[in-house]
Amino acid sequence: MSRTQARLLADRLTDRLAETGGEALVDRPYPWLIRRGLVQRQACADHRCDDGIRLDTGGECENCGNVLHIRRARRAKIAAHVDRELPGLAAGERRRVLEERLREQAAIEAEDLVWRREKARAEQARRDAARAAAQERAERERQAAAAADAMRQELPCEDCGQDRVAGLCEACDHRRQTETLIGEAGLIASAWSSNLADPGTVAAVTAEARTAISGGIATAWQEFLQITDVAALEANPEAAEDAYAFAAFQTAQQVVQEYQDNALAMLGRTEEDEAEARWAYKAEQGRPWFQHNTTGGDAIAAAAKAAKTARERTAQYLLATRLEQLRQQTAARTKTAAAAPWTDRPIHSMASAVRGSCRARP
C-alpha cells in the first residue's frame, strides 16, 4: 500500500469515527469496520469517489462538483416554474410545493435510472449471448475444418495414386509446378521474340523453350547423380523420383527467371521503351532545381536514373501486357483441344526414366 492510500484510509476511518461520535461508542470494532468504517461510499457515479474524495489522488472529486452543480441548476429551474405557475405563494407554502416537485423529479430520475440500468443489463446479456454464439460457431467451424482436413489427408494422389497424401504427393506437386513453369517460360520467350498474332510462331518458340528446359533438367539430374549415392536411389525408387521432380522444379524456376530477365532486357530496347526513357530524361532535366544548369553532373545523373527507371517500368508493362495477350490466346485454344493425360506429358515421361538413368550409372 502506498503512502497516499494509507493516508486516505486513515482519513476515512477518522471521519467515520467522528460521524459515529468517537471511538468510545464503537463497542464491536470488527463489525463496525466491515459495515461502516471501510465501506466506500460513492457520492457520484465515479467508482474512484468516496464521500467526495478521489481515492487515487486524494483530491476533491470533480464529478461530485458537477453533480452538485446539476442539482442546484435543477432546483433553480423547478423554483422558477413554481414562481411562474403559482405567483404570490407564502414562503412556507412555496417551500412545500418546491420540495414536493423536487421529490417528484427525483422519483422520475430514479425510475429513469432503473430503466437505463435494465436496458444496459439487457444489452450486455445480448452481447454475451452473441459472443457465446460466435464462439460456438467458431468452434463448430474449427471442428468441421479439422474433420475436412483429416478427410483430405486420407485422399490418394490424383496423379500417381499414392495413398494418404492429401490429394497430391510432393513429387507430383513438383511435376505440376514444373510443367506450369515450362509453359510460363515458353510464353515469356514468345512475348518478345515472336509475332503474337501468329499461333504457329508462338508454338514454335514455346516448343524450343520446352526443349531447352528439358535439356537443362537432364543436365541438372546428371550433375546430381555425380554427387549422390546412386545405390541408395536404386534401392528407393520413390525417393529417386522425388529427387528428380525437385531437381526439375528448381531448374525450371531458374530458367524462368533467366527468360524473364532476358525478355525485360529485350523489351527495354523497343521503340516504346526508348520513347518513354527519352521523355523521362527530359522531364527530369526540366525540373526547377536543374533549370539553371541542365547539363551539369547532378542533372545528368538524375536524368539518367529517371530514364533507367522509366525504361524498366515500361519493359515490365510491355511484358505483362504481352503475357496477358498470350494467356488469353492459349486459353481460347485450350477450350477447343482435349488435355493430354498426365502420363503422356513430357515431365512425367522423363520422371519415369529416372530408374533407368540410375541403373545406367556405372
Side-chain angles (χ1 to χ4, degrees):
M1 180 182 294
S2 65
R3 293 183 179 179
T4 301
Q5 291 174 332
R7 180 176 56 80
L8 289 173
L9 180 58
D11 292 343
R12 176 191 295 181
L13 293 176
T14 301
D15 294 339
R16 302 289 168 81
L17 283 172
E19 292 176 0
T20 304
E23 60 185 25
L25 297 180
V26 180
D27 55 349
R28 301 174 61 191
Y30 182 75
W32 181 86
L33 284 172
I34 297 301
R35 299 175 183 175
R36 186 168 183 178
L38 297 177
V39 176
Q40 179 184 352
R41 298 188 303 199
Q42 294 179 230
C44 64
D46 194 334
H47 66 279
R48 298 166 298 183
C49 175
D50 181 43
D51 286 337
I53 304 297
R54 285 277 294 270
L55 294 177
D56 55 344
T57 63
E60 293 185 1
C61 178
E62 298 178 357
N63 194 43
C64 285
N66 294 333
V67 171
L68 183 60
H69 174 73
I70 293 173
R71 289 175 179 173
R72 288 175 177 173
R74 183 189 306 119
R75 184 181 182 90
K77 183 178 180 180
I78 294 176
H81 282 297
V82 171
D83 291 339
R84 285 197 302 269
E85 295 176 6
L86 302 172
L89 286 178
E93 182 66 14
R94 179 180 180 277
R95 187 180 306 110
R96 185 190 66 77
V97 173
L98 178 60
E99 294 298 331
E100 182 180 352
R101 294 197 178 183
L102 286 172
R103 286 193 295 270
E104 292 176 355
Q105 182 64 29
I108 293 173
E109 291 179 357
E111 183 179 357
D112 180 67
L113 178 61
V114 171
W115 176 80
R116 285 188 284 110
R117 286 180 176 176
E118 291 179 352
K119 182 179 179 182
R121 283 195 293 267
E123 182 65 21
Q124 184 63 41
R126 186 192 65 79
R127 288 196 297 267
D128 293 341
R131 186 180 302 109
Q135 292 175 350
E136 183 179 356
R137 183 170 59 255
E139 180 63 19
R140 289 198 304 268
E141 293 175 354
R142 187 193 64 79
Q143 293 177 358
D149 184 68
M151 294 180 60
R152 186 177 64 84
Q153 294 296 332
E154 297 294 328
L155 294 176
C157 179
E158 296 178 358
D159 296 338
C160 66
Q162 183 179 342
D163 293 333
R164 304 181 67 179
V165 291
L168 192 64
C169 68
E170 186 175 3
C172 291
D173 182 39
H174 283 143
R175 293 188 189 113
R176 288 191 178 190
Q177 294 186 63
T178 301
E179 187 70 22
T180 300
L181 289 171
I182 291 176
E184 186 70 12
L187 293 179
I188 293 174
S190 302
W192 67 268
S193 63
S194 62
N195 182 8
L196 303 186
D198 186 1
T201 306
V202 173
V205 174
T206 303
E208 290 177 3
R210 178 179 293 276
T211 301
I213 295 178
S214 299
I217 292 173
T219 302
W221 178 246
Q222 293 302 319
E223 293 175 353
F224 174 76
L225 293 178
Q226 295 287 345
I227 60 174
T228 193
D229 186 358
V230 178
L233 292 179
E234 291 178 347
N236 191 349
E238 291 184 0
E241 292 190 5
D242 291 346
Y244 179 84
F246 183 68
F249 172 67
Q250 283 191 318
T251 302
Q253 276 188 319
Q254 296 173 0
V255 173
V256 167
Q257 186 61 50
E258 293 173 0
Y259 274 42
Q260 181 172 336
D261 294 341
N262 187 40
L264 290 174
M266 298 302 295
L267 292 173
R269 303 172 187 174
T270 60
E271 182 178 350
E272 299 96 326
D273 197 271
E274 292 294 339
E276 191 71 18
R278 287 194 299 270
W279 181 88
Y281 190 94
K282 293 180 179 179
E284 190 66 27
Q285 277 188 318
R287 292 189 180 277
W289 45 86
F290 292 138
Q291 286 182 352
H292 65 283
N293 187 11
T294 58
T295 59
D298 292 341
I300 295 299
K305 182 179 179 180
K308 180 182 178 182
T309 302
R311 182 178 285 106
E312 293 174 351
R313 185 171 57 248
T314 304
Q316 291 171 356
Y317 171 77
L318 291 174
L319 179 60
T321 302
R322 297 188 180 193
L323 286 176
E324 182 62 25
Q325 181 180 348
L326 287 171
R327 291 190 183 100
Q328 292 178 358
Q329 294 175 358
T330 303
R333 290 194 298 270
T334 303
K335 290 181 180 179
T336 60
W342 184 256
T343 54
D344 295 340
R345 297 180 185 178
I347 292 301
H348 188 278
S349 301
M350 293 177 67
S352 63
V354 170
R355 296 186 181 90
S357 64
C358 291
R359 290 192 294 268
R361 294 292 302 170

